[in-house]
Amino acid sequence: MRQESASLTRHLRVRRDRGHTVLEFLGEIDIASAAEIAPHLDRETARPGARVVLDLGGIEFFDCSGLRLLYRARRRVLDEGGEVHLVCAHPLTLRMLRITGLARLLPPRPTLAEVFGVTPPQERRTGR
């Protein structure tokens, strides 16, 4: 079940979907926005057994401050026995994840549906 999202900052929106906490990063994720996001990220990733999705679908810019946030979230969730997933399809961000090795630790998926194992409905075939 999907719940309404709450914007905690102009760079982070949090919602619940299919038993997961989805953290949607928005806009430019740089040193200033990372400082704004970090306390909210820490709160959402501190729960024992948390099931967290880090969704980068709404980003316009992402630097090393954003990478630190991802690594921090991953470490905190796993330390508490939870699971963490990453959604990212942005080519430059994917390249940064690969170059830094973070893609091995936190393999990116292109869509939220893929994280949840949901396949889009097949188009109906007509008899033509």
Side-chain angles (χ1 to χ4, degrees), residues 99-125:
I99 289 170
T100 61
L102 192 53
R104 285 190 310 270
L105 299 175
L106 193 57
R109 306 280 178 85
T111 65
L112 195 56
E114 188 172 318
V115 168
F116 294 140
V118 177
T119 55
Q122 297 283 332
E123 290 185 31
R124 291 186 188 178
R125 294 183 184 195

Side-chain angles (χ1 to χ4, degrees), residues 47-76:
R47 296 186 183 106
R51 297 169 66 193
V52 175
V53 178
L54 305 166
D55 186 350
L56 304 184
I59 63 166
E60 298 167 5
F61 175 81
F62 197 80
D63 71 6
C64 61
S65 301
L67 292 174
R68 279 193 298 274
L69 288 174
L70 296 181
Y71 184 79
R72 178 184 186 131
R74 178 191 175 274
R75 181 181 42 83
R76 291 173 58 85

Side-chain angles (χ1 to χ4, degrees), residues 1 5-6 10 15 19 22-23 27 30 33 39 41 51 58 63 69 80 83 88 97 110-111 116-117 121 126:
M1 180 192 297
S5 60
R10 62 190 173 116
R15 63 185 170 86
V22 179
L23 304 172
D30 56 17
S33 59
L41 183 87
R51 297 169 66 193
D63 71 6
L69 288 174
E80 292 295 331
E83 64 181 61
C88 180
L97 292 169
T111 65
F116 294 140
T126 60

Side-chain angles (χ1 to χ4, degrees), residues 3 9 14 17 19 27 31 48 53 58-59 64 70 78 81-84 104:
Q3 294 179 358
T9 76
V14 177
D17 194 348
I31 194 165
V53 178
I59 63 166
C64 61
L70 296 181
L78 295 180
E83 64 181 61
V84 62
R104 285 190 310 270

